[in-house]
């Protein structure tokens, strides 16, 4: 029930505090561990069923919605018990069921500054994807899980996995690149890492929420086969790998129905085809109906109870919504709580291991920095031979940029470009973490004269660069939820800055801080380029380690860098007509009622990312899977053993003179009759090799990765015929090839 007015709210707060006291006493007396379902040897389903049997209808309904969020829904007075995260669901103390405290946690726990706490900012999710390292992804999730628990949360809202179909999407940094197998396996590892810490993991935004423009109104049109083989496959693999307990349905419509009331997505695919046992929660204000959404398989409404409150109760009482449907929603939530262990192992608030977290952040940043260009072995720099360095770029003296929106992690001490402590984070502000490239470079080259120029005046920056042995430019492209980029060009005249500095000093190194690809009109004028992404709490130290060779780069692009926007499947992003704007204060009412749809048609279908450029024969700036190292690798001895799970074996040799790690990639082409793009990634392995060392690598291929989705049979189908297997260090450098016949 919506409530307005401060005095009413105050009265409710007092009543609710009293109620909490009474309930806490009742809790203490009820002995949470003395229920039949407290027996941890029973299955999560058995335990959940026992609880459901004991619940009143009011208790059931209370589990099916959040308690409100200012500006997005009415607020419940009970929200004062929220831990400060994006979502709070009341518990049922008499049955020993704790509240669910949800926090956004894409690259670290959100809002910690606002709540007087501390969180580590990991490199952005897209950076983790660039590591191609399942162990690193697991560590990424585990760190987030530990910090969530220490802050009193038992559910994460991270796990963004929308494929980068549209690289100008302002949330590209929150996602895991353009390939469904890479993204799916990585999110699976992140989720495993989180859930092992007894927090519910959530994969989002289901599905096809690939642009931010008009996200509450857009209707995405795509054919089923293309959807199942691209964006949905990423979710399918992520869930299969991890048993993540929650899936967040997205804001947009898909083929006519809103994702959060889309029976095809929620029931037919997610719950039936994929046998998903967890629960579906809406994105914040993503619900648009009650009976339709419930029947379609939407289990839980966030952040409030516009549809799943009193109206749902009445609908159950009148038989409009079957009681069994509500029981299923409730069962799914309870079984997820038991399955992830948050009832048996509730969060313990505590001080997080700050130093340990920073070490993990730095290590993963080192593993995810991609060396895109390195002419004449310009990098690594040898500090003993360099007398002067010009460090150039906006705020490169104090910090590195981070990704905005609900993923935003608060920097310790506030935004680095404001006086310490004054720089609170605000929605869609550029937030700079206090990890200073200038300081990190000075630390690596203590005997060199390291000078800084912000680049505001390109001529002055070029003059400084001319006097230095090396110029290092830190360029950035900020992005955030709630917006898309107008273009992939670096903003604020940085292209001009780079061109002028490069003309003044042929030894110019560019470090890009971005959430996705940028265009590089100056690519031929500079000698070295590093893609550092949004590099997290220890980004500067990690990048300096790469620049000076303490870390040998081993990351590969999880997204193609196109030459220009004109080469994208959609040269411009379709924007919503003006009438669909939701900016006013009561906007949530209009969003809930459903904004008029506008159409986006993904007629590129399954051809996302490299599959598009391959099929259309479009040359790219840097291909998917590409990344250099300070050493070199060679590939030999390919053999493919056909069978149910084809086994691809080959040898990788480190042919250079320093140790490194190579991401060896395996692609397949399907028989012509499958009518698929020229190739798809089907597996990979990241191998550590000392100088001169060789290792035999075996990659076993899941037959689904070689299949097409047959819509008539509603299943994956391996088309009998000749399959080409290609192995190498990037999607465009596949030196080993072999064909085998599969049936
Ligand atoms: C975002 C979700 C986020 C939620 C809660 C929404 O605006 O799309 O990703 O989890 O807010 O903050």
């Amino acid at each position: 029930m919506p409530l307005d007015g401060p005095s009413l709210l105050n009265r409710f707060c007092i009543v609710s505090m009293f109620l909490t006291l009474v309930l806490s006493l009742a809790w203490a007396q009820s002995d949470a561990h003395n229920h039949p379902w407290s027996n941890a040897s029973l299955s999560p389903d058995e335990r959940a069923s026992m609880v459901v049997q004991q619940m009143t209808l009011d208790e059931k309904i209370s589990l099916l919605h959040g308690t409100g969020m200012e500006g997005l829904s009415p607020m419940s007075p009970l929200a004062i018990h929220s831990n400060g995260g994006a979502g709070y669901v009341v518990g049922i103390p008499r049955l020993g069921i704790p509240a669910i405290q949800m926090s956004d946690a894409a690259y670290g726990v959100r809002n910690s500054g606002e709540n007087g706490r501390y969180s580590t900012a990991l490199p952005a999710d897209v950076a983790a994807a660039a590591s191609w390292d399942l162990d690193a992804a697991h560590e990424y999730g585990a760190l987030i899980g530990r910090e969530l628990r220490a802050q009193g949360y038992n559910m994460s809202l991270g796990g963004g996995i929308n494929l980068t179909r549209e690289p100008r999407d302002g949330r590209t940094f929150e996602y895991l690149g353009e390939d469904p197998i890479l993204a799916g396996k990585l999110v699976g590892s992140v989720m495993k890492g989180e859930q092992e810490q007894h927090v519910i993991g959530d994969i989002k935004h289901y599905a096809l929420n690939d642009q931010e423009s008009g996200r509450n109104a857009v209707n995405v049109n795509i054919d089923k086969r293309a959807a199942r083989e691209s964006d949905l496959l990423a979710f399918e693999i992520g869930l299969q790998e991890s048993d993540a307990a929650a899936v967040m349905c997205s804001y947009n419509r898909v083929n006519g129905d809103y994702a959060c009331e889309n029976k095809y997505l929620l029931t037919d695919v997610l719950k039936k085809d994929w046998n998903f046992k967890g629960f579906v929660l809406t994105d914040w204000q993503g619900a648009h109906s009650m009976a339709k959404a419930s029947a379609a398989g939407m289990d839980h409404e966030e952040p409030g109870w516009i549809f799943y409150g009193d109206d749902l109760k009445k609908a159950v009482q009148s038989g409009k919504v079957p009681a069994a449907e509500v029981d299923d929603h409730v069962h799914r939530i309870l079984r997820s709580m038991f399955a992830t262990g948050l009832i048996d192992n509730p969060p313990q608030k505590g001080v997080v291991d700050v130093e340990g977290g920073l070490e993990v952040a730095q290590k993963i940043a080192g593993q995810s920095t991609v060396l895109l260009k390195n002419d004449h072995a310009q990098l690594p720099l040898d500090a003993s031979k360099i007398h002067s360095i010009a460090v150039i770029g906006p705020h490169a003296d104090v910090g590195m940029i981070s990704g905005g929106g609900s993923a935003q992690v608060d920097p310790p001490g506030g935004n680095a470009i404001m006086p310490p402590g004054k720089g609170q984070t605000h929605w869609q502000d550029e937030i700079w973490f206090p990890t200073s490239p200038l300081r990190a470079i000075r630390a690596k080259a203590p005997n060199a004269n390291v000078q800084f120029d912000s680049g505001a005046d390109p001529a002055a920056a070029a003059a400084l660069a001319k006097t230095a042995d090396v110029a290092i430019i830190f360029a950035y492209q900020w992005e955030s939820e709630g917006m898309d980029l107008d273009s992939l060009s670096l903003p604020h005249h940085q292209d001009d800055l780079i061109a002028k500095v490069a003309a003044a000093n042929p030894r110019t190194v560019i470090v890009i801080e971005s959430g996705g690809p940028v265009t590089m009109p100056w690519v031929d004028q500079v000698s070295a380029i590093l893609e550092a992404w949004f590099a997290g709490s220890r980004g500067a130290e990690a990048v300096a380690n790469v620049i000076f060779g303490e870390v040998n780069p081993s990351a590969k692009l999880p997204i193609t860098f196109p030459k220009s926007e004109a080469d994208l499947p959609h040269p411009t992003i379709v924007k919503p007509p003006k009438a669909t704007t939701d900016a006013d204060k009561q906007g949530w009412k209009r969003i809930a009622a459903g904004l008029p749809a506008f159409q986006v048609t993904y007629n590129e279908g399954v051809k996302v990312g490299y599959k598009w450029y391959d099929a259309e024969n479009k040359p790219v700036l840097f291909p998917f899977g590409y990344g250099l190292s300070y050493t070199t690798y060679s590939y030999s001895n390919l053999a493919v053993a056909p069978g149910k799970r084809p086994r691809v074996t080959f040898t990788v040799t480190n042919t250079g003179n320093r140790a490194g790690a190579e991401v060896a990639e395996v692609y397949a082409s399907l028989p012509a009759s499958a009518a698929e793009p020229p190739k798809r990634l089907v597996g990979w392995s990241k191998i550590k090799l000392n100088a001169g060392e060789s290792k035999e690598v075996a990659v076993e291929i899941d037959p689904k990765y070689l299949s097409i989705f047959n819509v008539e049979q509603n299943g994956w189908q391996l088309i009998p015929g000749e399959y080409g297997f290609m192995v190498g260090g990037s999607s465009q450098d596949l030196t080993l090839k072999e064909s085998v016949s599969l049936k």
Side-chain angles (χ1 to χ4, degrees):
M1 187 203 338
L3 291 166
D4 294 305
S7 58
L8 193 57
L9 190 68
N10 282 346
R11 244 182 299 145
F12 263 112
C13 290
I14 293 163
V15 172
S16 119
M17 279 191 280
F18 175 72
L19 274 177
T20 313
L21 192 69
V22 173
L23 289 176
S24 332
L25 288 174
W27 171 282
Q29 280 162 10
S30 82
D31 185 358
H33 301 289
N34 210 10
H35 298 290
W37 51 86
S38 309
N39 178 355
S41 67
L42 298 172
S43 74
D45 281 310
E46 286 168 324
R47 298 173 78 181
S49 299
M50 288 172 159
V51 182
V52 174
Q53 273 173 21
Q54 300 298 319
M55 289 170 85
T56 65
L57 181 56
D58 282 322
E59 285 169 340
K60 290 176 184 172
I61 302 279
S62 75
L63 265 194
L64 301 187
H65 64 81
T67 46
M69 185 185 251
E70 219 58 80
L72 272 188
S73 76
M75 291 296 295
S76 158
L78 296 174
I80 57 163
H81 305 298
S82 159
N83 193 38
Y88 167 63
V89 184
V90 296
I92 306 164
R94 79 172 183 96
L95 301 176
I97 302 302
I100 306 180
Q101 301 279 3
M102 308 175 185
S103 176
D104 283 300
Y107 61 90
V109 183
R110 180 192 182 190
N111 269 1
S112 51
E114 208 170 285
N115 295 325
R117 302 174 194 138
Y118 164 86
S119 306
T120 307
L122 289 156
D125 306 73
V126 69
S131 77
W132 292 56
D133 187 326
L134 297 178
D135 294 334
H138 186 272
E139 214 171 339
Y140 194 100
L143 182 141
I144 291 176
R146 286 197 300 275
E147 296 199 358
L148 280 165
R149 269 175 71 82
Q151 295 188 25
Y153 295 107
N154 53 16
M155 177 162 172
S156 147
L157 301 170
I161 196 193
N162 297 84
L163 282 199
T164 304
R165 198 177 260 285
E166 172 45 77
R168 287 159 298 194
D169 178 349
R171 302 188 84 166
T172 302
F173 73 96
E174 282 186 62
Y175 301 144
L176 297 168
E178 68 191 24
D179 182 82
I181 296 174
L182 179 65
K185 291 196 77 98
L186 285 164
V187 87
S189 281
V190 173
M191 288 296 119
K192 267 193 249 170
E194 284 183 14
Q195 293 204 153
E196 281 162 13
Q197 301 300 319
H198 310 301
V199 298
I200 294 178
D202 158 56
I203 305 190
K204 69 186 187 186
H205 308 88
Y206 185 66
L208 292 142
N209 178 190
D210 299 333
Q211 69 174 54
E212 286 296 279
S213 305
R215 61 183 181 172
N216 294 101
V218 64
N219 179 39
V220 168
N221 299 287
I222 186 168
D223 72 74
K224 278 188 185 164
R225 172 169 167 187
R228 294 295 296 257
E229 292 182 12
S230 60
D231 302 51
L232 299 197
L233 177 57
F235 283 90
E236 179 173 359
I237 295 172
L239 291 167
Q240 200 176 37
E241 297 280 320
S242 68
D243 278 329
V247 167
M248 185 188 291
C249 52
S250 56
Y251 286 129
N252 52 297
R253 297 168 165 102
V254 177
N255 293 335
D257 281 331
Y258 273 115
C260 290
E261 56 186 38
N262 192 308
K263 181 175 166 290
Y264 175 73
L265 287 179
L266 304 185
T267 296
D268 301 351
V269 177
L270 178 66
K271 292 183 177 176
K272 289 201 175 138
D273 290 356
W274 301 344
N275 199 22
F276 173 63
K277 299 263 182 258
F279 67 102
V280 174
L281 78 162
T282 66
D283 198 342
W284 266 231
Q285 186 49 302
H288 302 279
S289 64
M290 185 252 295
K292 179 177 178 184
S294 175
M298 190 269 267
D299 300 302
H300 178 96
E301 177 184 358
E302 282 292 341
W305 63 104
I306 300 168
F307 300 102
Y308 274 21
D310 276 354
D311 288 352
L312 180 57
K313 182 179 171 186
K314 282 185 204 132
V316 175
Q317 284 165 337
S318 69
K320 192 173 155 210
V321 168
E325 214 170 86
V326 163
D327 283 358
D328 181 57
H329 301 320
V330 174
H331 180 97
R332 286 169 173 277
I333 295 167
L334 289 170
R335 75 97 56 202
S336 301
M337 295 172 85
F338 285 117
T340 40
L342 62 86
I343 294 184
D344 302 328
N345 298 283
Q348 303 283 324
K349 281 198 185 179
V351 178
V352 299
D353 175 7
V354 178
E355 291 301 325
L358 290 172
E359 259 173 50
V360 172
Q362 180 168 331
K363 186 174 79 182
I364 296 179
Q367 291 167 325
S368 38
T369 305
V370 189
L371 179 61
L372 294 175
K373 183 171 181 186
N374 196 18
D375 281 1
H376 317 298
Q378 154 91 63
L379 293 176
L381 300 181
D382 180 347
S384 68
K385 297 200 179 117
I386 289 184
H387 303 106
S388 55
I389 304 175
V391 174
I392 296 167
H395 314 304
D397 51 340
V398 291
M400 291 183 88
I401 191 72
S402 60
S406 60
Q408 182 71 59
V409 173
D410 291 342
N415 196 344
I417 63 165
M418 294 182 187
K422 290 260 190 279
Q424 293 304 307
T425 58
H426 298 115
W427 184 256
Q428 292 201 329
D429 271 354
E430 287 188 5
I431 305 294
W432 295 77
F433 265 75
T435 172
S436 154
L438 179 63
R439 218 177 310 135
I441 287 168
R442 282 194 171 137
K444 292 284 172 207
N447 299 322
N449 177 14
V450 183
Q451 296 208 46
F452 170 71
D453 186 290
S454 74
D457 172 2
L464 175 66
K466 208 175 175 72
T467 66
D469 289 347
V470 181
I472 307 176
I473 305 182
F474 287 80
Y476 83 104
Q477 164 78 284
W478 174 76
E479 60 183 47
S480 166
E481 175 184 346
M483 56 165 256
D484 290 321
L485 299 170
D486 290 331
S487 83
L488 299 177
S489 306
L490 290 170
H492 315 308
H493 311 292
Q494 294 176 94
D495 282 339
D496 180 43
L497 169 68
I498 294 173
K500 291 213 165 74
V501 170
N505 189 332
R507 296 187 68 191
T508 293
V509 177
I510 311 297
V511 180
I512 308 282
E513 300 168 45
S514 71
V518 299
T519 47
M520 302 181 186
W522 34 260
V523 66
D524 295 329
Q525 292 157 259
V526 302
S527 53
I529 307 172
L530 285 167
E531 171 60 66
W533 315 104
F534 299 149
S537 292
R538 276 277 175 87
E541 292 77 4
V543 169
N545 276 341
V546 172
I547 290 177
F548 289 91
E550 266 167 56
V551 168
N552 186 359
S554 63
K556 304 267 173 111
L557 292 179
I559 310 181
T560 308
F561 278 40
K563 280 184 183 289
S564 109
E565 291 86 10
D567 293 333
L568 296 173
H570 304 271
T572 54
I573 292 187
V574 183
K575 300 275 176 167
K578 281 241 164 355
T580 60
T581 163
D582 51 47
D584 65 60
K585 263 191 162 171
Q586 293 283 297
W588 62 266
K589 285 193 178 157
R590 288 195 294 116
I591 297 174
L595 297 170
F598 69 101
Q599 307 298 320
V600 169
T601 301
Y602 290 148
N603 40 22
E604 75 280 5
V606 73
K607 289 184 275 173
V608 177
Y610 63 93
K611 293 171 185 162
W612 166 259
Y613 304 102
D614 276 3
E616 303 290 316
N617 277 317
K618 287 184 191 287
V620 300
L621 182 59
F622 296 111
F624 174 80
Y626 167 85
L628 301 171
S629 158
Y630 296 149
T631 186
T632 46
Y633 302 98
S634 75
Y635 287 75
S636 56
N637 297 333
L638 175 63
V640 182
K644 267 219 153 0
R645 298 177 69 86
R647 210 175 131 84
V648 179
T649 51
F650 52 94
T651 304
V652 185
T653 305
N654 181 341
T655 48
N657 52 16
R658 60 164 75 210
E662 166 73 338
V663 177
E665 302 163 35
V666 182
Y667 294 80
S669 62
L670 272 58
S673 63
E676 286 286 311
K679 64 174 176 289
R680 52 165 78 163
L681 179 77
V682 291
W684 76 92
S685 179
K686 193 163 185 174
I687 315 128
K688 286 193 180 132
L689 290 164
N690 289 322
E693 192 184 5
S694 290
K695 273 189 190 154
E696 177 160 330
V697 182
V699 179
E700 209 180 70
I701 316 290
D702 186 325
K704 189 185 291 173
Y705 303 171
L706 296 165
S707 299
I708 64 153
F709 190 80
N710 183 320
V711 176
E712 285 73 45
Q713 294 169 13
N714 193 46
W716 292 98
Q717 183 191 8
L718 191 104
I719 305 284
E722 281 292 297
Y723 284 73
F725 286 88
M726 295 153 271
V727 177
S730 117
S731 65
Q732 288 192 11
D733 183 16
L734 299 166
T735 44
L736 306 180
K737 294 189 172 71
E738 189 174 319
S739 288
V740 294
S741 166
L742 297 179
K743 29 183 193 334

